[in-house]
């Protein structure tokens, strides 16, 4: 998996230099019905707003959450690729349909759709809020995106 992530970074950096489009890094937290997750995405945004990239997400143990019992087959790690398509685009904000797909706990294949809204604070920094679905239950996301 490290080889795939390294290869993706090299390809995205090469595309960015060649086409002067936007390579981005996104750090986020996602609250699911079981536990919160933190993750990072590295991707490339095309001129029409479509995105492609890779992501890594891991479960975090918050203070006091160790007392509550967790399901036996919960998601501890989620790694894979992401695709996004614009729904609404304006000068300072946009709304996109995201689909993350990959391996969950290095064993199961999963697809996680979501709708994420971005608000541009300055040219290189955006804040994000979104909702998604995981195991037929809603998830909530918040993040910070940096255009490299």
């Amino acid at each position: 998996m490290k080889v795939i992530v390294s290869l993706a970074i090299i390809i995205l950096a090469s595309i960015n230099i060649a086409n002067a489009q936007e390579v981005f890094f996104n750090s986020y937290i996602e609250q699911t019905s079981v536990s919160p997750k933190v993750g990072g995405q590295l991707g490339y945004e095309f001129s029409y707003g479509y995105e492609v990239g890779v992501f890594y997400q891991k479960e975090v143990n918050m203070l006091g959450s160790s007392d509550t019992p967790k399901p036996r087959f919960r998601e501890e790690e989620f790694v894979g690729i992401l695709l996004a398509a614009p729904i609404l685009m304006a000068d300072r904000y946009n709304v996109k349909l995201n689909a993350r797909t990959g391996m969950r706990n290095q064993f199961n294949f999963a697809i996680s759709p979501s709708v994420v809204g971005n608000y541009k604070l300055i040219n290189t920094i955006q804040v994000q809020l979104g909702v998604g679905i995981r195991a037929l239950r809603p998830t909530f996301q918040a993040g910070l995106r940096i255009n490299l």
Side-chain angles (χ1 to χ4, degrees), residues 14 17 31 52 59 65 68 75 81 136:
S14 300
I17 292 168
Q31 179 62 48
V52 63
E59 179 181 46
S65 66
T68 59
E75 177 185 300
I81 62 170
L136 300 176

Side-chain angles (χ1 to χ4, degrees), residues 75-115:
E75 177 185 300
E76 295 175 11
E77 186 179 60
F78 189 24
V79 63
I81 62 170
L82 69 100
L83 302 169
I87 297 173
L88 173 68
M89 293 186 70
D91 186 37
R92 298 195 60 83
Y93 64 90
N94 63 53
V95 178
K96 294 186 179 184
L97 177 63
N98 288 0
R100 292 180 294 167
T101 183
M103 295 302 291
R104 191 180 73 172
N105 297 337
Q106 299 179 353
F107 182 70
N108 295 328
F109 178 79
I111 298 173
S112 176
S114 61
V115 175

Side-chain angles (χ1 to χ4, degrees), residues 3-147:
V3 173
I4 293 172
V5 172
S6 300
L7 185 60
I9 291 170
I10 292 169
I11 290 171
L12 291 172
S14 300
I15 291 171
N16 186 46
I17 292 168
N19 294 331
Q21 297 296 324
E22 290 189 356
V23 172
F24 64 88
F25 176 75
N26 178 20
S27 176
Y28 64 93
I29 186 164
E30 182 175 21
Q31 179 62 48
T32 65
S33 62
V34 177
S35 66
K37 320 249 189 272
V38 294
Q41 300 175 339
L42 180 66
Y44 176 77
E45 182 176 7
F46 294 94
S47 59
Y48 292 110
Y50 292 92
E51 296 176 4
V52 63
V54 294
F55 72 93
Y56 176 78
Q57 179 174 301
K58 188 167 179 81
E59 179 181 46
V60 292
N61 292 325
M62 303 298 273
L63 297 174
S65 66
S66 61
D67 299 340
T68 59
K70 294 184 180 174
R72 182 175 172 201
F73 298 109
R74 69 183 189 274
E75 177 185 300
E76 295 175 11
E77 186 179 60
F78 189 24
V79 63
I81 62 170
L82 69 100
L83 302 169
I87 297 173
L88 173 68
M89 293 186 70
D91 186 37
R92 298 195 60 83
Y93 64 90
N94 63 53
V95 178
K96 294 186 179 184
L97 177 63
N98 288 0
R100 292 180 294 167
T101 183
M103 295 302 291
R104 191 180 73 172
N105 297 337
Q106 299 179 353
F107 182 70
N108 295 328
F109 178 79
I111 298 173
S112 176
S114 61
V115 175
V116 177
N118 297 315
Y119 180 76
K120 189 182 294 187
L121 297 175
I122 59 176
N123 278 343
T124 57
I125 298 177
Q126 299 176 17
V127 292
Q128 299 181 319
L129 290 174
V131 294
I133 296 176
R134 183 81 51 85
L136 300 176
R137 295 193 175 153
T139 65
F140 303 98
Q141 302 171 12
L144 183 67
R145 174 178 162 151
I146 299 172
N147 295 329

